[in-house]
């Protein structure tokens, strides 16, 4: 059975995934955000949020 998650939970999972992949290296942040958008089925507004989040939080620390 498929569970529907709130959008905010998907965004949190995308942030965690991007932070993990950034530590591994090899891909640019825009490429990771694009892949996270597809992987977590994010809306264009969620993608804008991710771009803003990583612009303001370079070290993946959630405030």
């Amino acid at each position: 059975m498929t569970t529907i998650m709130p959008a905010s939970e998907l965004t949190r999972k995308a942030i965690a995934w991007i932070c993990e992949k950034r530590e591994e290296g090899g891909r640019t942040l825009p490429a990771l955000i694009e892949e996270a958008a597809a992987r977590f089925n994010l809306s264009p507004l969620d993608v804008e949020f991710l771009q803003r989040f990583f612009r303001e939080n370079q070290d993946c620390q959630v405030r």
Side-chain angles (χ1 to χ4, degrees), residues 18-25 29 32 54 57-58 60:
I18 291 169
C19 287
E20 179 183 318
K21 296 300 178 185
R22 284 180 82 185
E23 289 177 7
E24 292 174 7
L29 181 58
L32 289 172
F54 285 106
N57 299 288
Q58 297 296 321
C60 285

Side-chain angles (χ1 to χ4, degrees), residues 3-17:
T3 303
I4 298 175
M5 285 194 241
S8 60
E9 181 65 22
L10 291 174
T11 304
R12 275 190 233 116
K13 287 182 178 253
I15 290 170
W17 182 84

